Amino acid sequence: MTNFKEEEFDDAGGSDDLYEHYRFKADKGQGALRVDKYLMNLIEKATRNKIQKAAVAGNIHVNGQPVKSNYKVKGNDVVTVLFEHPPYEFLLVPENIPIDIVYEDDAVLVVNKEAGMVVHPGHGNYSGTLINALTYHFENLPNNSSNRPGLVHRIDKDTSGLLVIAKTEEAMTHLAKQFFDKSTEREYVALVWGNVEEDEGTIEGNIGRHPKNRLQNTVYENDEEEKGKPAITHYKVLERLGYVTLVSCRLETGRTHQIRVHMKYIGHTLFNDERYGGEKILKGTTFSKYKQFVDNCFKILPRQALHARTLGFMHPVTGEFMRFESPIPADMEACIEKWRNYSQHVIE
């Protein structure tokens, strides 16, 4: 799902050749809701005025037919937004951006992505992505099922760490099957709010789109389980730092925002995870000095405290199991160290 851009809504219709930019299927239980309000809930930075202009131009369709902005979306409706130009993510421009290559051979590439770099174009980021960089440095990378060159899996923009890239069609197929079969090894390090009581545990909970905030995912339980996809995260406490805890998380599945959603689900939101409320002080004291300390930590680590540290997979050609590790980056390490000092000298 990509963001509405201001200029996209100013694009008048009139051409018979329209390209689909967004597609959403309303949940079965969707109550009647105006399509302009429906899309505002789904699309980041969309304004009602721009959505209404798109409807006037004939660019908003429901079940294949153009609708006005006051159309009431119902359960199972398919809502699409179309424009005369192709989606920007398909207009891929190679860019000379440095890549931190951990390992490379003729079949695979392992890179250490820095925090702040988007993995692939979309969501309003049509340049400066890892895919823009890869297509500059490597020719003829195979496309995955979403037409993204070389990409087997992904991590969030503000998450740092390891990714494997396929350089051949055979490698793409082999690696994709490993991720599907859950035979890869993926370990993340996260700093979370609160003292995680159990030394280790497993979080199981189906993950799906949040019903009210479509930029978030959430855990669905009991009678609503079918609204999400199965997700399993194994966690282990690495270090207790008073009001925060450093944990290792191993993924058995790979849902969008899985660690961020699962840790919030058990009451331990990732430190400074703005999308899920971790940018607020969730544990600690009311003293002004403590608030200043936390604010300083936020400045040192201006993103969610999550790093993809370990990646293991079977080499698609040799069959050898390969494991790579990436050290915790400097911003996250500096934040951890501040908490370490605070917990030792202030918290009894």
Side-chain angles (χ1 to χ4, degrees), residues 6-246:
E6 290 287 306
E7 62 268 27
E8 288 177 346
F9 282 111
D10 289 332
D11 179 11
S15 170
D16 292 333
D17 297 321
L18 293 176
Y19 297 88
E20 182 179 300
H21 283 233
Y22 315 97
R23 172 180 289 262
F24 308 104
K25 184 174 181 179
D27 294 334
K28 184 177 179 180
Q30 173 70 50
L33 181 67
R34 285 176 57 116
V35 70
D36 51 359
K37 291 185 177 180
Y38 177 78
L39 289 174
M40 282 183 66
N41 291 337
L42 284 167
I43 307 298
E44 189 175 10
K45 298 180 182 178
T47 67
R48 193 169 181 180
N49 181 52
K50 294 297 183 179
I51 293 172
Q52 289 174 345
K53 284 185 178 180
V56 169
N59 292 355
I60 296 179
H61 292 200
V62 176
N63 303 325
Q65 298 297 320
V67 297
K68 296 181 180 179
S69 57
N70 64 353
Y71 173 87
K72 298 291 181 65
V73 177
K74 301 176 293 295
N76 294 322
D77 274 352
V78 177
V79 182
T80 53
V81 182
L82 306 99
F83 295 104
E84 290 184 28
H85 56 82
Y88 289 123
E89 59 261 42
F90 295 119
L91 305 177
L92 188 59
V93 178
E95 295 180 77
N96 186 9
I97 302 169
I99 304 173
D100 182 3
I101 297 174
V102 176
Y103 173 84
E104 180 186 2
D105 61 26
D106 291 338
V108 299
L109 180 75
V110 177
V111 302
N112 188 25
K113 186 189 81 68
E114 64 182 19
M117 174 181 269
V118 176
V119 171
H120 60 77
H123 297 271
N125 299 286
Y126 304 108
S127 63
T129 75
L130 178 61
I131 294 297
N132 291 106
L134 288 171
T135 53
Y136 179 90
H137 294 287
F138 301 94
E139 295 182 355
N140 303 316
L141 290 174
N143 283 336
N144 66 11
S145 59
S146 301
N147 292 317
R148 287 163 179 157
L151 205 61
V152 181
H153 62 129
R154 61 185 181 182
I155 56 179
D156 297 334
K157 172 187 175 182
D158 289 325
T159 300
S160 53
L162 296 171
L163 286 164
V164 59
I165 306 297
K167 294 177 70 176
T168 68
E169 294 283 357
E170 295 76 11
M172 175 71 73
T173 301
H174 197 288
L175 289 167
K177 187 176 188 304
Q178 291 184 56
F179 277 88
F180 180 80
D181 291 340
K182 306 181 181 69
S183 61
T184 59
E185 179 184 344
R186 285 172 292 167
E187 183 243 2
Y188 292 70
V189 177
L191 187 68
V192 303
W193 279 108
N195 181 28
V196 179
E197 292 185 9
E198 300 294 331
D199 288 338
E200 55 186 280
T202 296
I203 309 167
E204 295 188 51
N206 288 15
I207 291 177
R209 189 76 68 182
H210 195 289
K212 295 182 179 179
N213 186 340
R214 306 294 288 189
L215 300 180
Q216 290 185 6
N217 284 342
T218 190
V219 171
Y220 286 97
E221 302 177 282
N222 305 321
D223 294 340
E224 294 189 319
E225 278 188 351
E226 74 282 354
K227 293 183 179 180
K229 295 180 180 179
I232 301 174
T233 304
H234 306 284
Y235 70 86
K236 182 177 182 180
V237 171
L238 299 176
E239 191 173 357
R240 301 181 187 279
L241 301 169
Y243 300 126
V244 296
T245 306
L246 188 66

